[in-house]
Amino acid sequence: MARSIDIQTTTKKKQKPLQHELGFGIHFTDHMFIMDYADDRGWHEPRIVPYQPIVLDPAAKVFHYGQTIFEGLKAFKTTEGKVLLFRPERNIQRLNRSNERLGVPALDEELALDALKSLIAVDQEWIPTEPGTSLYIRPFVIATQPALGVDASTQYQFIIIMSPVGNYYAEGVNPVKIFVESEYVRAVRGGIGEAKTAGNYAASLKAQEVAKEKGYSQVLWLDGVHRKYIEEVGSMNVFFKINGTVHTPALNGSILDGITRSSIIQLLQHWDIPVEESTMSIEDLFKDAKSGALEEAFGTGTAAVISPIGELNWLDEKLVISDGKTGEISGKLYDTLTGIQRGTIPDPFGWMVEVNI
Amino acid sequence: MARSIDIQTTTKKKQKPLQHELGFGIHFTDHMFIMDYADDRGWHEPRIVPYQPIVLDPAAKVFHYGQTIFEGLKAFKTTEGKVLLFRPERNIQRLNRSNERLGVPALDEELALDALKSLIAVDQEWIPTEPGTSLYIRPFVIATQPALGVDASTQYQFIIIMSPVGNYYAEGVNPVKIFVESEYVRAVRGGIGEAKTAGNYAASLKAQEVAKEKGYSQVLWLDGVHRKYIEEVGSMNVFFKINGTVHTPALNGSILDGITRSSIIQLLQHWDIPVEESTMSIEDLFKDAKSGALEEAFGTGTAAVISPIGELNWLDEKLVISDGKTGEISGKLYDTLTGIQRGTIPDPFGWMVEVNI
């Protein structure tokens, strides 16, 4: 990609938040990346500018028809001061798969990766270093054409913002309680569940609110067709260790193809722990739990990395998993993955990509 | 509702477009309505201001998690200069039902209606009067809290914009060709299909794009569970006249509860034409079409009012309906509904609400 990124740095830097008070996605760095799309010009004017509001016509399609895509990935600073990204090319590839599903024109993947790296280099002093912290990167695309006809936009913006973050869950890696959702559905095959797009998250909020009122952190989603097969947990993929084998629902068109998910599978295979992707019913899971075969359960995602599940509630039947504690494999996966990410453990997979700063 | 709406009028009015060149949702009036919500203040500061860009933090939740609702309704000016709204209380009630599904705090319905009327009064000179034209009104809610955690926003804006419009389809009331969608799904029971929210429309764009490439105006959506029951057509409800009875899919949780839909049912009952809401399979419909029992088909919605269907393509089998012409009932419904709306035909149902200007 020959197009060079124009960089306009800020004249007044913000004060950085304390590292133990970061929270998740609340504070943002000094700069952002923007690139525009118009039907007659393609993607153009890639630029890094001071972090600033987005100014849109009230008729911009993103406000009405939800034509928007996002990604989430993290950058880490090693004790030697190197800056590492975790499998960024995977996020950019998925961004383009989501774009395709939502009728958004594809991004040049090399330019998008270059944009990520350039923005990180400009704001590298924002990468936190304390345990559990990282720089969360949020690339997203929004439809900006001001027109109310229901069709794909002719104008878009691709934007990258970055937030220094602590643990996603206030609980940290402590086990969470999960409510198995029987009323609401997140996504269905043929829908947009595989894409990382706003509508799937909007669909999830109500169920999450109801679960929270009942004292649960997240919901476990069942499939929209049979209402019995396990899909995801909250906005994470989900794994179960049953009789020594780690199971996760097979990708079926309505489950997000998680990058942490695929990394976990690779790690387990590397350790010679049997891992299976298959269709999993909630009924079988509860049987396995009652027989003692279910040993561990955990969610996986970029934000939380590994989130152990300590309790499941399905139709008012409660299951305690791993005595409500973090299981052995869950803990080992968390330590290994975060160790590789921060460069304290060797990376045999070539996952980490160094950013020249 | 005691809260009064602050009105700040523009000092430079825009030039109005020619009435025969309006298109749909492209031109916007001189003013807009805005009201803010914050968790600690509730909905506050209802105001009419000059039409202006929305300025949001790039982390605003609407860009990422699609927590947004919209409505669409129309205002008409009669030959005597009266301004009429078509069943606006229905739109406001549905707005609040959608809000509930998406975890958005409810609006005061009286205030929302007052906001609609006040904005129309301020911009009443924008209501076009030529046949087929009207003032399209787009109330919408967006989540504005700048935070990347996946949960319901603590801040929102309720906005109303207005656009003088011509016919929604360039084809006018001419019959359209419809592609029966077998791959993509719009919504599923338990999801957000019943709500008027961005995600449903985002989910529809790809299928519509593929259908257009094949020479079809819109798609007919089948249910996401069995992939055989008829749900909607494009972004409209759908009706079929079979052996003298008019059928429409029953509301099932994934179909939008259309205000034009319910008005059509009421009109047909008023005319003593049998009308049935039931589960309808695409297979039965094609059988009825082949036997000659299918007499007419049409979509219904605020934007297009009645959109006759002249051809259906299901798995490459093509059905011509009503010889590809506008059917008798379709035409009569269009004429009657638009006549009631513009005040040229008596309104026996009390649908029209006059706006004091």
Side-chain angles (χ1 to χ4, degrees), chain B residues 110-260:
Chain B
E110 210 178 310
L111 176 64
L113 185 57
D114 195 24
L116 279 181
K117 290 178 175 175
S118 303
L119 183 60
I120 293 165
V122 169
D123 276 342
Q124 56 98 1
E125 64 197 40
W126 280 85
I127 308 174
T129 49
E130 284 189 14
T133 66
S134 58
L135 185 68
Y136 182 80
I137 304 159
R138 170 57 59 94
F140 63 106
V141 179
I142 53 175
T144 56
Q145 185 195 4
L148 298 182
V150 181
D151 44 26
S153 183
T154 58
Q155 296 160 38
Y156 299 88
Q157 283 197 317
F158 173 52
I159 297 169
I160 308 174
I161 56 175
M162 305 196 299
S163 168
V165 299
N167 281 318
Y168 184 78
Y169 292 108
E171 300 96 326
V173 282
N174 289 322
V176 292
K177 292 166 70 180
I178 300 291
F179 185 80
V180 181
E181 180 57 51
S182 300
E183 181 180 354
Y184 298 111
V185 168
R186 174 189 167 271
V188 70
R189 216 170 303 179
I192 51 177
E194 225 175 13
K196 213 159 168 72
T197 180
N200 297 323
Y201 297 81
S204 77
L205 298 175
K206 180 73 187 171
Q208 188 184 313
E209 191 183 298
V210 173
K212 283 223 163 119
E213 280 163 17
K214 292 179 181 161
Y216 292 84
S217 296
Q218 287 289 344
V219 302
L220 185 141
W221 298 105
L222 301 179
D223 79 285
V225 174
H226 309 282
R227 303 287 188 105
K228 64 190 236 191
Y229 299 111
I230 296 168
E231 299 229 310
E232 300 190 11
V233 60
S235 49
M236 298 181 286
N237 293 117
V238 66
F239 287 75
F240 303 92
K241 182 161 171 263
I242 302 167
N243 273 334
T245 296
V246 181
H247 296 259
T248 191
L251 299 179
N252 61 358
S254 59
I255 294 175
L256 189 80
D257 182 2
I259 293 158
T260 309

Side-chain angles (χ1 to χ4, degrees), chain A residues 3 12 35 70 80 88 109 121 137 141 160 162 165 201 230 236 247 251 258 277 280 323 329 332:
Chain A
R3 267 177 297 184
K12 38 180 187 178
M35 179 162 61
F70 73 91
E80 302 90 45
E109 297 185 4
I137 304 158
V141 178
I160 308 174
M162 305 198 298
V165 299
Y201 298 81
I230 296 168
M236 296 182 287
H247 296 258
L251 300 180
E277 299 174 69
M280 303 184 68
D323 294 325
I329 292 285
K332 190 177 168 192

Side-chain angles (χ1 to χ4, degrees), chain A residues 25 28 51 54 56-57 59 63-66 68 100-101 138 147-148 150 168 184-185 189-190 198 202 206 208 227, chain B residues 25 51 54 56-57 59 63-66 68 100-101 138 147-148 150 168 184-185 189-190 198 202 206 208 227:
Chain A
F28 297 92
Y51 190 89
I54 299 176
L56 291 176
D57 192 284
F63 295 132
H64 305 273
Y65 307 129
T68 169
E100 160 68 20
R101 178 63 185 87
R138 170 57 58 94
L148 298 182
V150 182
Y168 184 78
Y184 298 112
V185 168
R189 217 169 302 178
K206 181 73 187 170
Q208 188 184 313
R227 303 285 187 110
Chain B
Y51 190 90
I54 300 176
L56 290 177
D57 192 285
F63 296 131
H64 305 273
Y65 307 130
T68 169
E100 160 68 19
R101 178 62 185 87
R138 170 57 59 94
L148 298 182
V150 181
Y168 184 78
Y184 298 111
V185 168
R189 216 170 303 179
K206 180 73 187 171
Q208 188 184 313
R227 303 287 188 105

